[in-house]
Amino acid sequence: MIAFLVRRVLQAIGVFLAVGVIAFTMFRFVGDPVNQIVSLDTPYEERMKIRASLGLDDPIPVQIGRYLGRAVTGDFGISYQFRQPVSALFAERLPATLELALCATIFALGLGVLLGVVAALKRGTALAATLETVSLLGISLPTFLIGILLIYVFSESLRWLPSFGRGDVVNVGGWTTGFLTRSGLLALVLPSITLGLFQMTLVMRLVRAEMLEVLRTDYIRFARARGLRTRAIHFGHALKNTLIPVITIAGLQLGSVIAFSIITETVFQWPGMGFLFLQAVQNVDIPIMAAYLLLVAFIFVTINLVVDILYTAVDPRITISGRPS
């Protein structure tokens, strides 16, 4: 286990270095940072002073090393648009995105696994055909259209749920959460469904396919021959082995939910990281864009490590080294 963790940490460091260089390239060569800081009528001498204060005249390797060193300590520079440290903006917006991603993932996994099992066990019935049709719609419809439809039905027509914003939040130890207020919980419903619907249909189709495959294996036939109850066979044996590929997909999808929540947060005006990133793109706010890239890399690397460790918990035959025990 220790050797595995050390190896994966070294791989993660390599990934961070590569992403850091890409982020620096974006920061340094996508336009002149000085032009984003000063106005058009700023004198040339003042521009040169700002350039020197930012270290833009130093050799490129020196600039890369300085940028990566500051990034390790959480210093991603100053936002051109908000005139605030990027780390402070991230700390303010991150709770909203993580709570939205958590709710969307719980919705996708819980409902996706359940409907996938039902579709597999009820294969050939009208219920299974209906679930397959719904899954196709969930995969085919674009996220922004799903969000708009949900707003029209549940916010404008029925007026059951809010159409934008995060609702009331409570500050708990520096973490702003909407889980402790009624309006905060209601505000989570529509964006969570919108963000998690695609992942839910993907998990459902994967569980259905894997479940059907597992049910045809020899050990399931042997379990039936031994006289085990149908429920024990389906949920004690088949479903457990079905969950191995689901864990992989779920882990990657959780990273995707966090990284690509931009559309959902924009449709619902959700004050999270995705909405902040979109504002940064519109205003060419390079420090925020570069820091977002590093944050996404960190999330994916961390999730992949957790997924690899979870393999051994679901299937003891799989060892950390990747060889069957």
Side-chain angles (χ1 to χ4, degrees):
M1 174 69 77
I2 295 178
F4 170 77
L5 292 176
V6 171
R7 185 167 61 250
R8 292 307 302 268
V9 168
L10 292 177
Q11 293 174 356
I13 292 175
V15 172
F16 289 146
L17 288 175
V19 174
V21 172
I22 296 174
F24 169 81
T25 303
M26 177 188 297
F27 180 82
R28 182 65 180 83
F29 297 107
V30 181
D32 190 349
V34 177
N35 291 335
Q36 302 295 329
I37 298 174
V38 301
S39 60
L40 295 176
D41 56 351
T42 302
Y44 176 78
E45 293 77 9
E46 186 174 345
R47 288 174 177 266
M48 290 301 100
K49 289 181 180 179
I50 295 175
R51 179 177 294 276
S53 65
L54 295 176
L56 298 178
D57 295 330
D58 295 336
I60 297 299
V62 174
Q63 295 186 46
I64 293 178
R66 182 169 56 238
Y67 178 78
L68 294 178
R70 291 176 177 174
V72 169
T73 63
D75 182 4
F76 301 104
I78 304 297
S79 167
Y80 299 155
Q81 176 187 2
F82 298 98
R83 308 297 184 186
Q84 298 179 29
V86 175
S87 56
L89 292 172
F90 277 20
E92 180 183 349
R93 303 293 187 100
L94 189 59
T97 294
L98 291 182
E99 289 188 358
L100 176 60
L102 176 62
C103 293
T105 303
I106 292 174
F107 165 76
L109 289 180
L111 197 57
V113 171
L114 176 63
L115 295 181
V117 171
V118 172
L121 298 180
K122 301 294 183 180
R123 182 184 181 187
T125 64
L127 176 59
T130 302
L131 292 177
E132 292 178 21
T133 302
V134 171
S135 69
L136 286 175
L137 289 175
I139 291 178
S140 304
L141 292 177
T143 301
F144 73 89
L145 179 58
I146 294 173
I148 292 174
L149 289 175
L150 290 177
I151 290 174
Y152 176 76
V153 173
F154 294 101
S155 296
E156 296 299 323
S157 299
L158 300 176
R159 299 190 180 277
W160 289 352
L161 298 168
S163 60
F164 67 92
R166 195 183 175 194
D168 297 328
V169 296
V170 177
N171 193 314
V172 180
W175 183 276
T176 57
T177 178
F179 288 156
L180 302 179
T181 65
R182 182 177 182 275
S183 62
L185 291 173
L186 291 177
L188 274 165
V189 175
L190 293 185
S192 297
I193 294 175
T194 302
L195 186 58
L197 187 60
F198 177 83
Q199 282 74 23
M200 186 273 289
T201 54
L202 183 65
V203 170
M204 187 189 84
R205 295 176 69 85
L206 176 64
V207 170
R208 176 186 178 276
E210 291 293 330
M211 191 79 171
L212 290 174
E213 186 68 26
V214 170
L215 289 175
R216 289 194 290 263
T217 58
D218 291 337
Y219 75 90
I220 295 295
R221 295 192 184 99
F222 293 153
R224 289 197 178 101
R226 289 168 53 196
L228 294 180
R229 292 186 303 174
T230 302
R231 177 172 298 184
I233 294 173
H234 289 164
F235 298 99
H237 296 278
L239 181 58
K240 183 176 180 180
N241 288 277
T242 299
L243 290 179
I244 296 175
V246 174
I247 289 176
T248 304
I249 297 298
L252 296 177
Q253 289 304 313
L254 175 59
S256 300
V257 164
I258 297 174
F260 306 118
S261 59
I262 300 171
I263 296 177
T264 301
E265 292 189 2
T266 302
V267 170
F268 291 94
Q269 295 294 291
W270 190 263
M273 298 286 298
F275 192 46
L276 178 65
F277 178 76
L278 182 64
Q279 291 177 312
V281 172
Q282 293 173 340
N283 295 278
V284 198
D285 200 336
I286 304 300
I288 291 180
M289 296 165 62
Y292 190 80
L293 183 62
L294 288 172
L295 177 63
V296 168
F298 174 78
I299 290 172
F300 272 100
V301 170
T302 303
I303 288 176
N304 283 333
L305 177 60
V306 173
V307 166
D308 287 341
I309 295 175
L310 284 178
Y311 276 157
T312 59
V314 175
D315 191 348
R317 297 172 301 173
I318 301 176
T319 62
I320 289 295
S321 63
R323 297 187 297 271
S325 58

